Amino acid sequence: MTARIGVVTFPGSLDDRDTQRAIRLAGAEPVALWHKDKDLKQVDAVVLPGGFSYGDYLRAGAISRFSPVMDTVIEQAKAGLPVLGICNGFQVLTEAHLLPGAMLGNDHLHFICRDQKLRVENAETAWTGDYRQGQEIHIPLKNMDGRYVADPYTLDKLEAEGRVVFRYVGFNPNGSLNDIAGVTNEAGNVVGLMPHPEHAVEPLIGSGRTDGLPFFTSILKKLVNA
C-alpha cells in the first residue's frame, strides 16, 4: 500500500503544491488537507508547508495554530503521527507547542532568500533517516521571521538530548541561537526547520540540487518499515 502524506493548506500557504510534488517524487501519495477541516483523511504523516499563513499579521504561525485541522494534528502528533513543519510550518509547530522555542524576526530585520548550507545533527528522526550524522547539505532558505530562540534551560536540554536536527554552517542567516536551523520533539516524530527541502528535490529546478529529497524518502521508508 502506498504511504499517504497529508499537506495542509492555510490561507497564505505558498509551498503546498511544491511539497506535494516532492512527496510524489519520493514515491508516496500526497493528500491535500484544508485548514478548516479536522479530518486528516487517514494519512500516515503530515507536512505543514511554508508560506505566510494569514499574512503573519499577528505573529508568524500564531493564527494558523488555531485552525481546526491543528486540533487533530496536535492530538495525533502526541500519539506518534509524523509531522514536518517547513518555515511557516515550523513557526506553527512552535506556536502549537509541539516543538519548544519560538521564532522571531531576523536579526537584520530583512527578508532573506539564499541557498543555505546546513549540517545534519540528528539523522535518527522520522524525517532524517536517509541522511548521515554530520552530513552537510544545501537547502534553499527564504524567511522574514526565522530567528529561533529559546530560554537557556531549553537550549541546554535540546543540545544535551540531541534534539537539534540541523544547524546553519558558515553563515547564520537570521540570528538563530546556537545556529539552530531545525529541532525535533522528544519522540523524534515531529521535526521543524526553516529552510525549504521541497525546493531541492530535482536537479533542474530550485537550487539545482536534490539535497532535500531525503526528507521525503526518509519518512516513506519509516512508514513502510513500521
Side-chain angles (χ1 to χ4, degrees), residues 15 18-23 25-26 47-50 84-88 90 114-116 118 127-128 131 137-142 166 181 191-202 205-217:
D15 300 302
D18 300 72
T19 303
Q20 291 176 28
R21 180 171 177 79
I23 290 168
L25 287 171
V47 179
L48 306 182
L84 175 65
I86 302 170
C87 194
N88 191 235
F90 186 12
R114 57 173 278 140
D115 193 16
Q116 177 67 46
L118 307 175
W127 298 91
T128 58
Y131 290 109
I137 60 177
H138 290 78
I139 303 290
L141 173 82
K142 52 177 185 176
F166 296 96
V191 170
L193 80 160
M194 284 310 296
H196 287 258
E198 77 280 7
H199 294 326
V201 294
E202 295 180 279
I205 61 174
S207 68
R209 298 171 180 265
T210 59
D211 291 3
L213 191 59
F215 276 90
F216 307 101
T217 58

Side-chain angles (χ1 to χ4, degrees), residues 101-121:
M103 310 302 300
L104 299 180
N106 298 342
D107 60 351
H108 45 74
L109 302 180
H110 294 286
F111 180 83
I112 189 168
C113 182
R114 57 173 278 140
D115 193 16
Q116 177 67 46
K117 182 186 287 188
L118 307 175
R119 183 170 60 247
V120 180
E121 302 283 24

Side-chain angles (χ1 to χ4, degrees), residues 95-224:
E95 293 287 344
H97 304 298
L98 286 174
L99 291 176
M103 310 302 300
L104 299 180
N106 298 342
D107 60 351
H108 45 74
L109 302 180
H110 294 286
F111 180 83
I112 189 168
C113 182
R114 57 173 278 140
D115 193 16
Q116 177 67 46
K117 182 186 287 188
L118 307 175
R119 183 170 60 247
V120 180
E121 302 283 24
N122 184 338
E124 298 181 1
T125 77
W127 298 91
T128 58
D130 272 356
Y131 290 109
R132 302 185 312 276
Q133 193 86 9
Q135 181 179 354
E136 293 188 355
I137 60 177
H138 290 78
I139 303 290
L141 173 82
K142 52 177 185 176
N143 65 70
M144 180 67 189
D145 299 302
R147 178 160 53 112
Y148 181 80
V149 298
D151 62 84
Y153 173 80
T154 299
L155 286 174
D156 289 345
K157 184 177 176 65
L158 288 172
E159 297 286 2
E161 296 178 354
R163 290 170 54 194
V164 175
V165 183
F166 296 96
R167 212 180 300 269
Y168 298 117
V169 175
F171 173 73
N172 186 324
N174 43 42
S176 291
L177 297 181
N178 292 19
D179 297 327
I180 291 173
V183 299
T184 184
N185 65 343
E186 292 183 7
N189 63 303
V190 179
V191 170
L193 80 160
M194 284 310 296
H196 287 258
E198 77 280 7
H199 294 326
V201 294
E202 295 180 279
L204 294 179
I205 61 174
S207 68
R209 298 171 180 265
T210 59
D211 291 3
L213 191 59
F215 276 90
F216 307 101
T217 58
S218 292
I219 189 59
L220 178 57
K221 290 180 181 177
K222 178 76 172 179
L223 295 171
V224 170

Side-chain angles (χ1 to χ4, degrees), residues 10 17 53 60 70 88 93-94 132 179 214 216:
F10 299 101
R17 297 292 182 90
S53 60
M70 287 304 300
N88 191 235
L93 290 177
T94 60
R132 302 185 312 276
D179 297 327
F216 307 101

